[in-house]
Amino acid sequence: MIEVALFGAGRIGKIHAGNLTKQAGVRLKYVVDVHAESAQALAQLHGAAAGSVEAALADPAIKAVVIASSTDTHSDLILRAAAAGKAIFCEKPVDLTIERARACAAAVEEAGVLCMIGFQRRFDPTFSALKERILAGEIGSPEMLVVTSRDPSPPPVSYIKVSGGVFKDMLIHDFDVFRWILDDEAVSVYATGSCLVDPAIGAAGDLDSTVVTIRTRLGRLCQINTTRRAAYGYDQRFEVLGSAGMLQAGNHKPTEVVSHTAANVSEDKPENFFLERYRVAYANEIAHFFDALANGTALRTTVQDGLKALELAEAAMLSWRENRIVMLEGSRS
Ligand SMILES: NC(=O)c1ccc[n+]([C@@H]2O[C@H](COP(=O)([O-])OP(=O)(O)OC[C@H]3O[C@@H](n4cnc5c(N)ncnc54)[C@H](O)[C@@H]3O)[C@@H](O)[C@H]2O)c1
């Protein structure tokens, strides 16, 4: 039996708790949250106990921790869990600073523990089917990737202020998709952006609309466009152009019903937001983590992937601030 401690009983913590308690051979033992009532309620729902970080990490029965607490707690909890020899699943981002994220990667390596970062898009059935078809050679060699990533509406400005900015909070997923789909590393990043949705986001020093252009070591190209507001809902699409064709991955809809009337032809809007759109992906990533832990299979996303995505976010932020192309390590010039 793999006994687990969950840190964070908020939106995503509840999803992970529900998924991990469905895994055979896995038991949720502790739920830890600084908001005691949240920890208590979630623990009770799953037959676990509300506990503390100290108690969970000191308990030799705990083999793994799931870190789903606020972003500013991730690196501290990774360092402590690695030192205690626990396997780690941590939500994105690893940290808001490259230095702390590097320290986490080093600590994980030194401790020799598993550390998976929650880039759930790699586990989405549509996106992963597309990736499988690239690997099978259906479109030849991938050359260009276009990613559209649009939230339905912006979070409160109080969230924006502590989020680390749109590149680290939102595009971190798109940077991971870029690396995963093109299977290559960036040599240059150019990012531009605007505040078109809410001036309060601009006043907080952040952007709500961005476009990023990336060139890879192999000369492959990627364009990412994001916004914090799409009037028609959560829009998550990408297309990959290869030497022998193109693959597109689109949105999911709650139902496939199409209505034809005298007025129009209509269908459902995309699924509402990430909790719905990536419901299956969240379940798949947790299943993958515990499978890796139980059977020794290789993790499909690691702390190194978390670090690489953060480096791209940092480069994009610098590019936008200084209005210039940023060259990355390994580039030719
Ligand atoms: N992969 C994804 O799609 C995805 C989606 C949403 C959130 N996230 C990430 O998950 C994390 C949590 O996001 P959320 O939306 O669930 O936030 P949330 O605010 O709903 O929940 C965070 C919880 O962490 C608790 N917390 C804060 N400090 C803590 C500490 N030191 N120890 C234990 N608990 C602590 C808070 O009390 C809160 O209950 C963030 O880092 C976010 O970036 C990822």
Side-chain angles (χ1 to χ4, degrees), residues 14-276:
K14 287 180 188 140
I15 300 290
H16 291 325
N19 287 329
L20 78 87
T21 51
K22 291 190 190 110
Q23 307 305 311
V26 175
R27 180 177 163 252
L28 181 61
K29 186 168 183 185
Y30 302 104
V31 177
V32 181
D33 196 299
V34 286
H35 189 250
E37 283 159 30
S38 302
Q40 192 60 51
L42 192 60
Q44 205 168 347
L45 187 65
H46 293 293
S52 66
V53 173
E54 292 71 22
L57 294 182
D59 184 341
I62 293 294
K63 297 288 176 251
V65 300
V66 170
I67 303 173
S69 43
S70 316
T71 294
D72 61 354
T73 66
H74 293 183
S75 57
D76 180 54
L77 291 171
I78 289 176
L79 293 172
R80 292 170 70 184
K86 314 295 185 193
I88 301 162
F89 175 98
C90 182
E91 263 309 332
K92 48 60 63 174
V94 178
D95 192 73
L96 294 179
T97 71
I98 302 272
E99 293 68 32
R100 296 274 302 170
R102 284 195 184 127
C104 288
V108 163
E109 195 180 336
E110 198 188 318
V113 294
L114 292 186
C115 182
M116 175 168 169
I117 301 300
F119 287 130
Q120 83 281 357
R121 291 185 197 179
R122 295 194 189 208
F123 298 86
D124 175 74
T126 301
F127 294 167
S128 50
L130 182 148
K131 173 70 182 179
E132 288 299 316
R133 290 167 74 158
I134 295 176
L135 291 175
E138 189 169 327
I139 57 165
S141 174
E143 293 170 351
M144 286 194 196
L145 169 67
V146 179
V147 179
T148 294
S149 182
R150 301 175 185 154
D151 284 358
S153 55
V157 173
S158 55
Y159 173 93
I160 298 275
K161 283 180 180 163
V162 293
S163 70
V166 70
F167 296 112
K168 290 179 183 170
D169 181 54
M170 187 175 169
L171 280 90
I172 195 97
H173 283 294
D174 305 300
F175 293 133
D176 183 64
V177 163
F178 150 75
R179 293 185 59 250
W180 173 54
I181 291 296
L182 288 186
D183 199 14
D184 201 1
E185 299 296 345
V187 290
S188 68
V189 175
Y190 176 69
T192 187
S194 287
C195 250
L196 303 173
V197 176
D198 183 356
I201 293 177
D206 201 6
L207 301 162
D208 54 40
S209 311
T210 72
V211 173
V212 179
T213 304
I214 306 175
R215 188 172 191 280
T216 73
R217 287 178 187 164
L218 296 173
R220 294 170 174 170
L221 302 172
C222 171
Q223 268 186 332
I224 301 169
N225 75 86
T226 71
T227 169
R228 291 281 194 185
R229 178 200 55 206
Y232 50 91
Y234 192 40
D235 192 2
Q236 299 281 286
R237 290 173 286 136
F238 57 80
E239 65 178 48
V240 196
L241 177 71
S243 53
M246 178 178 72
L247 288 166
Q248 292 180 312
N251 289 311
H252 295 173
K253 289 170 283 182
T255 79
E256 298 306 318
V257 176
V258 182
S259 157
H260 299 247
T261 69
N264 60 20
V265 177
S266 63
E267 56 186 1
D268 288 358
K269 293 194 297 183
E271 279 186 311
N272 183 47
F273 208 179
F274 60 88
L275 293 179
E276 295 85 5

